[in-house]
Amino acid sequence: MKKEIIFFDMDNVLVDFQSGLKKVDSETLAEYNDDGTGKPHYDDIPGLFSMMEPYKGAVEAVKRIAASEKYEMYILSTAPWGNPSSWMDKVNWVKKYLDSDHPGGVFYKRMVLTHHKNLCIQENAWLIDDRTAHGAELFGDHFIHFASERFPDWESVLKHFNC
């Protein structure tokens, strides 16, 4: 029987984005405070993604889901186009916190970085994401809206997947 797939977003799902921002000096934050439209573009700060800590409960949840051996697991994340270091930083973050730098690691060579998450939609695939952008909403009933009323934390997600 083919296993169901779980795709994990990174930012504010596996990774605590704010934990990285707290480590950035005020001059750099000011530099990235306005993208020309009045909105901050902090995700373009070089090296920011290497400074982030795991989201509360995320590493333990990944380990519990992996231990269940019921699912294939992949990272499905978007990396800022204007910040090429973020692509490398995200891979290194996964290696550091999820022990995926060697064969047999949970996410070893199981990482998709794209601005079109809907390209990964399959009949048996779930997406855990905190936002509906980049095609996430197209997963329909297989979209786990993390940090929402229904799925406020990792315990609620683990309960959903019976792990």
Side-chain angles (χ1 to χ4, degrees):
M1 184 161 116
K2 189 173 181 180
K3 290 182 180 182
E4 288 186 289
I5 296 169
I6 300 176
F7 290 111
F8 295 80
D9 177 49
M10 289 185 72
D11 306 334
N12 295 317
V13 174
L14 294 176
V15 179
D16 182 349
F17 190 87
Q18 292 299 318
S19 70
L21 284 180
K22 290 177 184 176
K23 297 175 185 175
V24 176
D25 63 83
S26 59
E27 292 168 1
T28 303
L29 286 174
E31 180 183 345
Y32 289 87
N33 194 38
D34 187 344
D35 66 359
T37 67
K39 296 179 184 176
H41 58 117
Y42 299 130
D43 57 355
D44 285 336
I45 297 172
L48 177 67
F49 291 88
S50 67
M51 297 182 229
M52 296 179 189
E53 303 294 327
Y55 195 95
K56 182 181 177 188
V59 172
E60 297 80 10
V62 164
K63 289 178 181 178
R64 281 177 55 186
I65 294 170
S68 77
E69 298 185 358
K70 295 189 272 185
Y71 304 96
E72 284 187 49
M73 298 164 52
Y74 295 85
I75 300 289
L76 179 56
S77 188
T78 300
W81 195 256
N83 183 358
S85 77
S86 68
W87 298 67
M88 179 180 62
D89 291 339
K90 285 184 178 236
V91 171
N92 287 334
W93 189 97
V94 170
K95 288 179 178 183
K96 178 178 179 178
Y97 289 104
L98 300 173
D99 189 29
S100 298
D101 60 345
H102 57 81
V106 175
F107 293 113
Y108 178 74
K109 296 188 178 183
R110 290 176 171 258
M111 189 168 184
V112 180
L113 296 177
T114 180
H115 290 157
H116 303 279
K117 293 180 180 183
N118 53 296
L119 294 175
C120 292
I121 292 173
Q122 301 174 47
E123 183 180 327
N124 65 334
W126 293 86
L127 172 61
I128 304 169
D129 202 325
D130 66 311
R131 298 181 342 149
T132 59
H134 303 290
E137 75 283 359
L138 298 175
F139 275 78
D141 291 342
H142 284 182
F143 175 62
I144 303 292
H145 196 174
F146 190 75
S148 67
E149 186 175 327
R150 183 169 176 206
F151 297 103
D153 53 27
W154 276 107
E155 280 305 315
S156 61
V157 173
L158 289 168
K159 184 176 179 181
H160 176 80
F161 288 113
N162 296 313
C163 292

